[in-house]
Amino acid sequence: MPFENFRQDVHRWGLLKSSYVRIMRRLQRWLGFRLFVVHTRPLDPDPLQLALPAGCSVRILSEAELIEFSVDSALGLASDSIRRDNARGNLCFGYLEQAALVSYTWVATKATPAEGGLWIRFSEGYRYSYRALTVPSHRGRRLQLHIVHASDRWQAARGCRYNIDYIDTLNLPSIAADRRYGNRPVGYAGYAKWFGRMRLFRSPGVKAIGFEFFVPSPGEAE
């Protein structure tokens, strides 16, 4: 079975990427090593207006709405997380179909929690996209494209100029999907836990745009 899985991955992704994934999984397991590709793209202040089906809408969701939607476990929303994200000024753009939330993306313009107890920060003028989800029954319909256009328009009007995000280099499908929306790699960032110590690193391209992982102070981590 492992060889059959590898053969299928090679058919889909090629030999080099398939081999890389297996090597990196071992490094993660043995050394706590994580490597992420960082993507950016200019925000489009006037994206193409895509027609929405009858009964559908895309907009910013309020905290009360999100908490109400969180009762549906398929959405992966938690009330405590919603309250913390909203308190930091982060926003959730959602695609609704007949008043049901079927796709969403969170965005932040300030330092915000990331991986393994770390946070990320980035230069002014960037907005960070994270925690995007489309429910299984609606995948393949490119609903996130509607959200991208709505969030670009709203945040470009408020001074943001670029989108930024990061994806685990093992997550080949998400990397491919992200690049379909015009996101392009600027470099890599990551961390490793060696002998009980956290080692952080980033490539020059990532450093140039002010993106970094960091350990928050007690006040920042609230």
Side-chain angles (χ1 to χ4, degrees):
M1 182 62 73
F3 178 77
E4 178 60 24
N5 291 340
F6 180 66
R7 189 182 68 81
Q8 292 176 359
D9 285 349
V10 169
H11 179 72
R12 182 177 183 186
W13 303 110
L15 178 60
L16 288 178
K17 288 183 178 180
S18 300
S19 300
Y20 169 82
V21 166
R22 281 153 178 81
I23 293 170
M24 285 297 295
R25 282 175 180 164
R26 285 167 173 76
L27 290 175
Q28 283 189 7
R29 187 163 59 248
W30 296 337
L31 300 176
F33 181 77
R34 301 291 302 278
L35 181 65
F36 304 89
V37 59
V38 178
H39 285 162
T40 66
R41 65 171 174 82
L43 297 187
D44 187 347
D46 188 25
L48 179 67
Q49 294 280 354
L50 299 175
L52 288 170
C56 295
S57 63
V58 179
R59 58 181 174 80
I60 296 172
L61 301 173
S62 70
E63 180 177 305
E65 288 177 309
L66 288 164
I67 290 174
E68 184 176 347
F69 286 130
S70 70
V71 300
D72 181 355
S73 60
L75 290 171
L77 294 167
S79 57
D80 289 346
S81 178
I82 291 167
R83 292 188 180 95
R84 285 194 297 267
D85 284 350
N86 273 273
R88 296 185 187 105
N90 299 353
L91 299 172
C92 183
F93 288 81
Y95 186 108
L96 293 95
E97 182 179 82
Q98 305 299 335
L101 180 61
V102 295
S103 186
Y104 65 84
T105 293
W106 284 87
V107 297
T109 55
K110 298 178 181 178
T112 198
E115 303 287 326
L118 298 173
W119 283 40
I120 63 163
R121 55 188 162 214
F122 38 88
S123 296
E124 186 176 353
Y126 285 80
R127 71 102 189 272
Y128 164 55
S129 299
Y130 68 104
R131 209 182 303 151
L133 181 144
T134 300
V135 296
S137 60
H138 287 65
R139 290 173 187 168
R141 293 168 51 181
R142 304 193 73 186
L143 302 188
Q144 284 287 328
L145 184 59
H146 293 275
I147 294 175
V148 166
H149 285 185
S151 61
D152 273 19
R153 187 182 304 109
W154 195 90
Q155 294 205 288
R158 287 156 180 80
C160 287
R161 293 175 294 155
Y162 300 97
N163 182 72
I164 191 169
D165 59 45
Y166 69 93
I167 303 173
D168 194 311
T169 55
L170 298 181
N171 194 344
L172 301 180
S174 290
I175 291 172
D178 204 44
R179 292 179 184 178
R180 283 199 296 270
Y181 295 122
N183 295 286
R184 293 294 178 262
V186 294
Y188 298 87
Y191 61 87
K193 297 178 181 178
W194 295 338
F195 304 106
R197 295 188 63 183
M198 182 74 75
R199 310 284 183 171
L200 306 175
F201 56 88
R202 54 181 172 163
S203 67
V206 170
K207 184 177 182 180
I209 61 173
F211 180 97
E212 66 177 337
F213 291 104
F214 70 98
V215 178
S217 66
E220 288 173 310
E222 292 178 356

